[in-house]
Amino acid sequence: MVTGLGAITPLGNDVASTWEAAKAGVSGAGPITHFDASLFKTQFACEVKGFVASEHFDRKKERQLDLYAQYGIVAARQAIADAGIDTEGAVDKNRVGVIVAAGIGGLHTFEEEAGYYAMNSEKGPKYNPFFIPKMIADIASGHISMEYGFHGPNYGTVSACASSNNAIIDAFNLIRLGKADAIVTGGAEAAIFPAGVGGFNSMHALSTRNDSPQTASRPFSKSRDGFVIGEGSAILVLEELEHALARGAKIYCEVAGGGMSADAYHITATHPDGLGARLAMTTALEDAGMKPEDIDYINVHGTSTPKGDISEAKAIVEVFGDHAYKLNISSTKSMTGHLLGATGALEALFSIKAVTDDIVPPTINHDPEDLDEEIDYNLNFTFDRAQNRTVRAALSNAFGFGGHNATVIVKKFEK
């Protein structure tokens, strides 16, 4: 069961503001402010706005944390408070775990330290003692467990942009196996810095639509030219049903199943026929004991890249058959950008809200004349406006460099 939610995103610094902006079709893109990007091919991103670290951490703690971990910890605080497991005696802390993913981790910390060493090499190596513990991709989980005294399973998952879906699936399975009563899970990422933007630019992965940042992420439109990099965190509290009921917890929905696969094809490109995507979705349905027609909404990976959008759309038709045309499909990356290792968790959160509120968020930035002949527009991509409909169950896809695929299914909770 999902009993708590938290979010720090390009659309808002909590769940309510993020969800309201997503329903309204608001873009979180704008000029990069984290550094001077004037010499970069891409000069815009979906940054978190109005986040002031000193409002959340004392000066000593702030210096120990990379920005990605700051986002993850603050989103986790929101989710833990929302679930009501932050009060003394609410849970057995030996039975509460933390699994928070990052695709990259402390990239900014690494960049700063490498730059320092390069500039001071004549004096010999001199590194900040917090360099390694700020940088590593599992450290957000560690800090969250220490803050709350949660002694259950604790680690981070790394599978590029599938990372936080893998974290959610791991949490789900550990609870099913009886290894924990509750797990704080999700993802965090903060890579909008020179190494992140420059690295993705060098492989032609990012949109370079600098004249119109807010319309740059345009999944399933022919003129799409790459993804828009985003940052932030989304955190869920997953909890065993009887445990949640016994303490009178609010239950958002049920995590029904998860599927994982590998494309085994290319280091960055998705399989052109969506082979791995098909397998992840099919496995998730089997794990949930559900049929394709039980799903009402798919939050697609939909990164606005030339090849990826095509292969995912093909995979959906292959898996869902005629029912594919009765689904609502949307890419919320059109608004949030691509949060890399945190993206799966944020899109799982949107899927949860779609199930609880019976509203499908839109895919924005679509021009009806900007059509790709390789995409089947008989599919309902929920272009431009949110749509009200009963959402009994939602499926959320996340795919990553290395051919990693992970799919999560959530459904309405019925006692």
Side-chain angles (χ1 to χ4, degrees), residues 181-220:
D181 296 328
I183 296 183
V184 180
T185 187
E189 202 80 272
I192 306 174
F193 293 100
V197 176
F200 283 119
N201 266 159
S202 69
M203 56 191 297
H204 307 289
L206 296 181
S207 171
T208 56
R209 203 177 294 275
N210 294 312
D211 59 337
S212 185
Q214 293 190 330
T215 67
S217 184
R218 48 182 68 191
F220 307 108

Side-chain angles (χ1 to χ4, degrees), residues 352-370:
I352 290 163
K353 295 298 288 182
V355 165
T356 60
D357 294 5
D358 289 322
I359 300 173
V360 174
T363 304
I364 66 169
N365 298 328
H366 179 67
D367 180 345
E369 296 182 359
D370 186 21

Side-chain angles (χ1 to χ4, degrees), residues 208-372:
T208 56
R209 203 177 294 275
N210 294 312
D211 59 337
S212 185
Q214 293 190 330
T215 67
S217 184
R218 48 182 68 191
F220 307 108
S221 293
K222 186 171 185 177
S223 61
R224 63 193 184 279
D225 68 329
F227 73 83
V228 177
I229 190 170
E231 63 177 357
S233 175
I235 302 291
L236 322 176
V237 175
L238 269 54
E239 191 169 348
E240 193 273 329
L241 173 60
E242 296 303 326
H243 185 270
L245 292 175
R247 66 181 192 87
K250 170 180 77 268
I251 296 175
Y252 285 100
C253 68
E254 177 182 348
V255 178
M260 298 172 284
S261 72
D263 280 347
Y265 171 72
H266 190 271
I267 58 171
T268 57
T270 58
H271 192 283
D273 296 325
L275 186 151
R278 292 202 312 265
L279 183 57
M281 288 188 280
T282 301
T283 304
L285 287 166
E286 291 172 353
D287 187 45
M290 299 173 75
K291 299 176 182 178
E293 55 266 30
D294 294 327
I295 303 297
D296 293 314
Y297 168 51
I298 298 179
N299 189 303
V300 292
H301 188 58
T303 54
S304 189
T305 53
K307 294 181 179 179
D309 290 4
I310 294 170
S311 63
E312 188 172 10
K314 287 180 179 178
I316 290 169
V317 174
E318 288 285 336
V319 171
F320 288 88
D322 290 342
H323 184 65
Y325 301 97
K326 301 175 184 177
L327 293 163
N328 273 79
I329 298 166
S330 72
S331 172
T332 46
K333 287 185 181 73
S334 59
M335 298 174 282
T336 67
H338 191 352
L339 275 64
L340 309 178
T343 204
L346 178 55
E347 289 157 16
L349 187 152
F350 285 142
S351 299
I352 290 163
K353 295 298 288 182
V355 165
T356 60
D357 294 5
D358 289 322
I359 300 173
V360 174
T363 304
I364 66 169
N365 298 328
H366 179 67
D367 180 345
E369 296 182 359
D370 186 21
L371 302 180
D372 188 327

Side-chain angles (χ1 to χ4, degrees), residues 116-130:
Y116 181 90
Y117 178 54
M119 290 185 292
N120 295 272
S121 57
E122 291 182 4
K123 298 180 181 179
K126 183 178 180 181
Y127 287 91
N128 186 319
F130 291 112

Side-chain angles (χ1 to χ4, degrees), residues 19 37-38 51 63 67 88 146 188 193 202 289 299:
W19 180 233
S38 59
F51 182 88
R63 293 176 62 191
L67 185 59
E88 192 63 34
M146 287 183 275
F193 293 100
S202 69
N299 189 303

Side-chain angles (χ1 to χ4, degrees), residues 79-118:
I80 290 165
D82 186 37
I85 59 171
D86 56 338
T87 57
E88 192 63 34
V91 292
D92 177 355
K93 293 186 176 183
N94 290 333
R95 300 275 302 167
V96 180
V98 185
I99 307 173
V100 175
I104 299 176
L107 181 64
H108 183 46
T109 295
F110 185 87
E111 186 176 57
E112 283 187 318
E113 289 295 318
Y116 181 90
Y117 178 54

